[in-house]
Amino acid sequence: MSKFDPFDFNQAMPLINEDTEFFPLMSQEDEEEMNNEQTPEILAVLPLRNTVLFPGVVIPITVGRDKSIKLIKDAYKGDRVIGVVAQLDVSVEDPKFDELNKVGTVAVIVKMLQMPDGNTTVIIQGKNRFELVEQVQSEPYIKATVKKFEEVRPKVDKEFKAMVSSVKEMAMQIIQFSPNIPSEAAIAIKNIESVPFLINFISSNMNASVADKQKMLEVANLRDRAQMVLSHLSTELQLLELKNQIQNKVKVDLDKQQRDYFLNQQLKTIQEELGGNSPDMEIDDLRKKGSKKQWSKETANHFNKELDKLARMNPAAADYSVQINYLEVLLDLPWQQFTKDNFDLKRAQKILDKDHYGLDKVKKRIIEYLAVLKLKHNMKAPILCLVGPPGVGKTSLGKSVAKALGRKYVRMALGGVRDEAEIRGHRKTYIGAMPGRIIQSIKKAGTSNPVFVLDEIDKVGNDFRGDPSSALLEVLDPEQNNAFNDHFVELDYDLSNVMFIATANSLSNIQPALLDRMEIIEVNGYTIEEKIEIAKKHLLPKQKEQHGLKAKDVNLKSSVIEKIIEDYTRESGVRGLEKKIGSVVRGAATKLAMEESYNVNFTANDIEEILGPPIFDKDFYEGNEVAGVVTGLAWTQVGGDILFIEASLSPGKGRMTLTGNLGDVMKESATIAMAYMRAHAASFGIDYRVFDQWDIHIHVPAGATPKDGPSAGITMLTALTSAFTQRKVKEHLAMTGEITLRGKVLPVGGIKEKILAAKRANIKDIILSKANRKDILEIKESYIKDLNFHYVTDMTEVIKLALLDKKVKNALDIVYKEPVKQNQN
């Protein structure tokens, strides 16, 4: 019988049989069999997350990923041979072929066990190494073509034998110094006589990262691999020796003071077991956190004073929990903590343009703010107030601003807030007291310079609990909010770095003093052209994503989107349009889910099939065939609209009747118009006696809809003049403006919405106050290229522009031909 040579590479551990209860040393025949075994051309690849398999080594692995479980079960039913490769990034849950290392180990599945927790554990033994060549399958698991990894056999000389001996000796020393490693490991290493298996066994079990183990696996020469193992073991041994030295140095005898301290610590532990954390531990924890805060000296002194008060309190007292809550709030606030602003103005412009179509005024103001902040590095944040109809993107604009600046985003809804304490907080002496919503939002943001959106600031109410609008005066004053005082916090908090953006639908309900502190930016409604672009770029892609459709599944042309806008929505914003587009997308999703064919390019008929008959009739121009009918322009919360002022005469005693659900201001406009006509009857060619013998009735159709405002003033005066002179109004003409008793035409608001409504109604000529010219200049020229604008300052100009010269013949002519009979007593 020949002597066993430990450096004979043909001797190693035997292959493990499934029925073996323990793992004996390899025989020469087993080693030769393993080395001579052919590597399969195609292998199912099992990615390993936390370990690397070496040839000859047996390891258990827990399989949790669905793909891996499927692979193991399929292989277990077959020849049980798989390829095992470590993945490059351990955080990747489902690694692809390119995310795996290129060198792995052929493995045999020895045993598959189903654990009580539901996981599958398999015991595998490594065989030969291989290299990945090309992926041939990705589902249900990865399969790839492989080639055998060519190894380099080192020359067995004295230096190599000494190196292997050092590896074994160091491994034994590490086991001796490490209390966590069982002594059986030393016995296993002593009994390993095959050098390749010894190196592989130690490489597999040593304390090294997956990346380092992978490097060892990829080394072809066994001498080089042994050198790497020796280097790692040497480092590990030095660390263990140093750790043991430190532990020996700190071992000292306990004197009486240390003994007492130890007993006190035991007493505290017992108290914790009986009733949670001990009071002393809570106070120490609060004091430790307070020492790390970056706050002013005044705030630090106040905190320490309140903490000392807590230390003197009886933990069973009712105020104890109140005091702890107060101190925790102080600690949670981001005192002097700021996020860094991003001063890339071009990037900010791109973000604003990508998230919102239009809104040029707001974007310009944000870029201006960034530009000044970039140059000055210190600037009081502006208080912006975005005013406009619902659904135009006022609130969502705050998120875009925060993204552009690189700041945190906070939103506070003010709709229905009636309690002043909601803003300023409650005194901490009250039961259930808490900070106001301003401080709570700052605490939630975790920074002292967020973008803070005050949503629906015009919806703030007031009652016996106070006026929240007045409480907001200090918050929104750049000269005062550097020392905002919350009743609960009791300390001044600096809000001057917060960028407040308020939103409102109307300025009429905002307190004047509060309004004065904000920079008002009007956000007008969108034109049809703008809505079409918004629908294409934002709404339709968003609805497709939300309903699980691909880009090719639904296609809406501009003409189809325009039909949805005009026939199914009546708004300034796009919120209703998004809902209708969502209905269309759901219709396509239903067809797709039911595997029914449908036209991807939706037509007008398809839209009516899904949304039903048109809800709204497109505004149309009614021909002024009768004297006394004038087309006016109106503003509503959902955008512009046209309205018709009708004036009718009937024999009577000069009474004036107003109908159409008119508000007080609109009734006053009719009274002013009538008074102006009486005073200037001669200039209009009207016999003054007609006012005493004819009653006038003014009606504004859609009687169920409330109407108010001064902008129908010139329309009413024109209607009265047309009725009394029996001169018809010119075709395709509309007007808007306020009048005075002197006949002056004053400017009105909502011009953009009114102009868009006129365009929809096929109006060609529009009469406006000269002071409204600036509003027309802000509208894109392409939107108003078919309209003619007439700017006036006096009512005589309006009458000349609006009325035809030809008179209508009817019974009213009697007044001018026959003398009026005087009443006899």
Side-chain angles (χ1 to χ4, degrees):
M1 185 174 180
S2 60
K3 185 179 178 182
F4 181 84
D5 185 1
F7 293 91
D8 184 355
F9 298 106
N10 293 320
Q11 300 181 40
M13 287 189 70
L15 295 175
I16 298 173
N17 189 292
E18 182 179 356
D19 298 324
T20 56
E21 298 296 326
F22 60 95
F23 306 146
L25 296 177
M26 279 187 178
S27 67
Q28 183 175 357
E29 292 78 15
D30 293 328
E31 175 69 15
E32 289 177 354
E33 181 182 350
M34 188 180 78
N35 289 335
N36 295 328
E37 189 168 339
Q38 294 295 322
T39 301
E41 293 183 359
I42 298 178
L43 282 175
V45 179
L46 176 68
L48 293 186
R49 194 199 297 267
N50 302 319
T51 188
V52 176
L53 177 64
F54 287 81
V57 178
V58 179
I59 61 170
I61 59 171
T62 300
V63 183
R65 296 186 277 212
D66 294 339
K67 286 187 175 181
S68 301
I69 294 173
K70 172 70 174 171
L71 185 151
I72 292 297
K73 289 183 177 179
D74 290 349
Y76 198 73
K77 294 176 184 176
D79 58 3
R80 302 189 182 185
V81 177
I82 61 174
V84 176
V85 182
Q87 60 190 64
L88 292 169
D89 187 357
V90 297
S91 64
V92 177
E93 183 62 28
D94 185 14
K96 303 294 186 294
F97 183 79
D98 295 332
E99 296 172 325
L100 302 176
N101 287 291
K102 298 307 177 186
V103 178
T105 307
V106 179
V108 172
I109 302 175
V110 179
K111 204 96 170 176
M112 185 170 72
L113 306 172
Q114 197 69 31
M115 306 306 289
D117 60 359
N119 288 327
T120 301
T121 298
V122 291
I123 299 174
I124 59 175
Q125 181 185 26
K127 286 189 174 183
N128 299 318
R129 289 179 289 176
F130 65 85
E131 289 183 46
L132 291 173
V133 178
E134 185 179 9
Q135 178 177 272
V136 297
Q137 173 184 307
S138 60
E139 295 295 338
Y141 45 79
I142 298 174
K143 277 188 176 182
T145 57
V146 300
K147 65 178 181 180
K148 188 172 182 180
F149 187 89
E150 297 298 330
E151 298 189 5
V152 178
R153 300 295 179 89
K155 179 181 178 182
V156 180
D157 52 15
K158 291 182 180 180
E159 180 183 353
F160 182 65
K161 291 182 178 181
M163 185 187 300
V164 174
S165 178
S166 298
V167 168
K168 183 179 287 190
E169 184 179 347
M170 260 184 208
M172 301 289 289
Q173 290 179 1
I174 289 174
I175 294 171
Q176 181 181 354
F177 281 121
S178 302
N180 297 327
I181 302 178
S183 58
E184 289 80 4
I187 298 174
I189 291 177
K190 284 181 180 178
N191 286 284
I192 296 174
E193 296 181 334
S194 170
V195 173
F197 181 73
L198 175 68
I199 300 301
N200 289 338
F201 182 84
I202 295 176
S203 300
S204 178
N205 292 281
M206 68 190 302
N207 185 19
S209 66
V210 174
D212 289 336
K213 289 183 178 180
Q214 181 66 31
K215 289 179 181 177
M216 295 177 189
L217 183 69
E218 293 176 0
V219 175
N221 193 311
L222 186 62
R223 180 190 294 270
D224 296 338
R225 193 156 11 118
Q227 182 67 43
M228 290 179 67
V229 171
L230 185 62
S231 176
H232 278 279
L233 291 177
S234 177
T235 303
E236 182 67 16
L237 183 60
Q238 291 178 27
L239 290 174
L240 284 171
E241 289 175 345
L242 184 61
K243 180 180 177 182
N244 290 334
Q245 290 176 7
I246 294 172
Q247 288 178 347
N248 291 331
K249 286 180 181 179
V250 297
K251 286 183 179 179
V252 293
D253 294 331
L254 293 174
D255 56 14
K256 185 178 181 304
Q257 183 178 2
Q258 290 173 316
R259 180 174 177 275
D260 292 342
Y261 174 77
F262 180 72
L263 292 175
N264 284 327
Q265 291 299 111
Q266 284 187 321
L267 181 62
K268 288 183 179 180
T269 303
I270 294 171
Q271 289 177 340
E272 291 172 12
E273 291 292 330
L274 292 174
N277 292 333
S278 66
D280 288 344
M281 287 184 64
E282 288 182 332
I283 294 171
D284 291 342
D285 185 48
L286 291 172
R287 196 179 300 278
K288 186 177 180 181
K289 290 180 179 178
S291 63
K292 297 179 180 178
K293 293 291 289 185
Q294 297 179 355
W295 45 25
S296 64
K297 185 177 180 181
E298 178 187 356
T299 307
N301 292 337
H302 179 81
F303 175 81
N304 291 326
K305 181 180 177 181
E306 295 293 327
L307 191 61
D308 293 340
K309 185 193 293 186
L310 178 68
R312 295 192 297 269
M313 282 185 180
N314 184 349
D319 290 343
Y320 188 82
S321 61
V322 174
Q323 190 70 5
I324 281 188
N325 180 42
Y326 174 67
L327 292 171
E328 287 177 344
V329 169
L330 292 182
L331 288 172
D332 291 340
L333 284 173
W335 304 88
Q336 298 181 13
Q337 295 180 22
F338 306 99
T339 54
K340 189 176 180 180
D341 288 327
N342 191 330
F343 294 122
D344 189 345
L345 302 186
K346 292 183 179 179
R347 171 185 170 274
Q349 186 71 56
K350 286 181 180 179
I351 290 175
L352 294 174
D353 290 338
K354 180 182 177 183
D355 293 348
H356 291 82
Y357 187 85
L359 306 181
D360 296 330
K361 279 187 180 180
V362 189
K363 295 175 184 177
K364 180 183 177 185
R365 183 63 186 88
I366 300 302
I367 297 300
E368 288 174 355
Y369 168 69
L370 268 177
V372 175
L373 195 61
K374 181 178 181 179
L375 297 175
K376 192 178 178 183
H377 299 291
N378 182 19
M379 177 187 177
K380 291 179 179 177
I383 314 296
L384 305 180
C385 182
L386 309 180
V387 182
V392 295
K394 300 186 298 297
T395 304
S396 61
L397 190 68
K399 287 186 179 180
S400 299
V401 172
K403 191 194 303 184
L405 291 171
R407 293 189 179 189
K408 297 285 187 178
Y409 170 76
V410 182
R411 173 183 168 271
M412 187 173 89
L414 292 174
V417 174
R418 295 177 176 273
D419 191 352
E420 178 197 350
E422 290 278 339
I423 308 298
R424 285 190 173 277
H426 302 80
R427 299 286 179 190
K428 69 174 187 285
T429 52
Y430 294 143
I431 296 175
M434 61 176 60
R437 292 172 66 181
I438 299 291
I439 292 296
Q440 286 187 48
S441 299
I442 295 293
K443 184 176 75 172
K444 180 181 177 182
T447 173
S448 291
N449 65 335
V451 173
F452 202 125
V453 174
L454 298 168
D455 214 3
E456 307 290 356
I457 198 170
D458 57 329
K459 307 298 190 302
V460 175
N462 62 78
D463 57 15
F464 63 92
R465 290 167 290 188
D467 183 5
S469 295
S470 301
L472 284 170
L473 293 177
E474 183 184 4
V475 176
L476 300 182
D477 191 342
E479 300 299 328
Q480 299 180 31
N481 62 9
N482 61 340
F484 173 69
N485 190 277
D486 185 275
H487 291 158
F488 183 87
V489 176
E490 295 181 348
L491 289 168
D492 291 339
Y493 195 89
D494 187 3
L495 298 178
S496 62
N497 295 293
V498 178
M499 185 173 185
F500 287 101
I501 299 179
T503 71
N505 296 130
S506 173
L507 298 178
S508 58
N509 298 327
I510 303 178
Q511 190 185 114
L514 186 60
L515 195 61
D516 183 61
R517 284 165 164 78
M518 299 185 292
E519 183 178 339
I520 307 301
I521 298 177
E522 291 188 6
V523 183
N524 296 319
Y526 297 115
T527 64
I528 291 180
E529 291 83 356
E530 288 174 330
K531 288 183 180 180
I532 291 173
E533 290 299 320
I534 292 171
K536 284 183 176 180
K537 294 180 180 179
H538 300 283
L539 305 184
L540 185 57
K542 178 182 175 184
Q543 290 300 317
K544 287 179 185 177
E545 182 181 354
Q546 289 183 353
H547 293 87
L549 296 184
K550 299 178 182 177
K552 63 181 180 179
D553 293 333
V554 177
N555 183 28
L556 297 180
K557 295 181 180 178
S558 298
S559 58
V560 175
I561 297 174
E562 185 175 355
K563 177 178 175 61
I564 298 174
I565 294 169
E566 293 183 342
D567 293 351
Y568 297 94
T569 65
R570 186 64 86 241
E571 58 180 349
S572 290
V574 292
R575 195 169 286 144
L577 175 59
E578 183 176 6
K579 294 176 184 176
K580 296 301 178 184
I581 290 177
S583 298
V584 175
V585 173
R586 283 193 296 275
T590 303
K591 295 282 187 183
L592 201 61
M594 297 177 71
E595 298 181 355
E596 297 179 1
S597 61
Y598 68 97
N599 184 14
V600 175
N601 298 308
F602 278 71
T603 63
N605 293 332
D606 296 329
I607 297 299
E608 291 195 10
E609 182 181 343
I610 295 174
L611 301 180
I615 300 174
F616 301 102
D617 291 330
K618 182 178 178 181
D619 290 341
F620 60 94
Y621 168 75
E622 291 186 358
N624 299 348
E625 299 175 356
V626 182
V629 179
V630 186
T631 305
L633 299 175
W635 179 90
T636 68
Q637 286 192 343
V638 296
D641 204 351
I642 64 171
L643 53 83
F644 301 98
I645 307 293
E646 301 175 346
S648 175
L649 297 176
S650 59
K653 298 182 179 180
R655 291 189 299 268
M656 183 171 68
T657 305
L658 302 173
T659 57
N661 202 351
L662 309 182
D664 292 338
V665 177
M666 204 163 181
K667 290 178 181 178
E668 290 173 358
S669 296
T671 305
I672 294 170
M674 193 65 194
Y676 180 79
M677 277 206 64
R678 284 178 176 271
H680 300 81
S683 62
F684 294 126
I686 301 173
D687 191 328
Y688 71 92
R689 296 172 297 176
V690 77
F691 299 115
D692 296 327
Q693 294 191 358
W694 294 81
D695 292 340
I696 184 74
H697 187 158
I698 298 177
H699 176 67
V700 185
T705 305
K707 309 169 193 70
D708 202 5
S711 61
I714 67 170
T715 315
M716 286 186 168
L717 183 53
T718 304
L720 289 173
T721 307
S722 175
F724 279 113
T725 62
Q726 288 299 292
R727 293 162 60 190
K728 293 192 298 184
V729 178
K730 294 178 181 177
E731 293 183 349
H732 305 292
L733 175 75
M735 60 187 70
T736 182
E738 182 182 355
I739 60 169
T740 68
L741 278 175
R742 296 176 296 162
K744 297 296 182 183
V745 180
L746 303 181
V748 291
I751 294 298
K752 181 180 179 182
E753 285 80 3
K754 293 176 180 178
I755 299 304
L756 298 178
K759 187 178 179 183
R760 288 197 303 265
N762 200 27
I763 298 294
K764 301 298 182 184
D765 294 280
I766 299 175
I767 299 176
L768 298 167
S769 170
K770 193 173 183 179
N772 282 126
R773 184 192 293 268
K774 65 180 185 302
D775 300 301
I776 302 299
L777 296 176
E778 293 180 359
I779 305 175
K780 288 186 178 180
E781 189 175 347
S782 58
Y783 297 157
I784 57 175
K785 61 183 179 180
D786 299 329
L787 300 176
N788 298 319
F789 296 98
H790 306 279
Y791 302 105
V792 297
T793 57
D794 192 88
M795 268 311 299
T796 55
E797 299 176 58
V798 177
I799 300 302
K800 288 179 182 178
L801 289 168
L803 299 185
L804 296 171
D805 295 334
K806 189 176 180 181
K807 194 174 184 182
V808 180
K809 293 183 179 181
N810 65 4
L812 188 62
D813 294 337
I814 300 173
V815 177
Y816 302 101
K817 294 178 180 179
E818 296 183 1
V820 179
K821 296 180 180 179
Q822 298 294 329
N823 292 331
Q824 302 291 332
N825 290 330

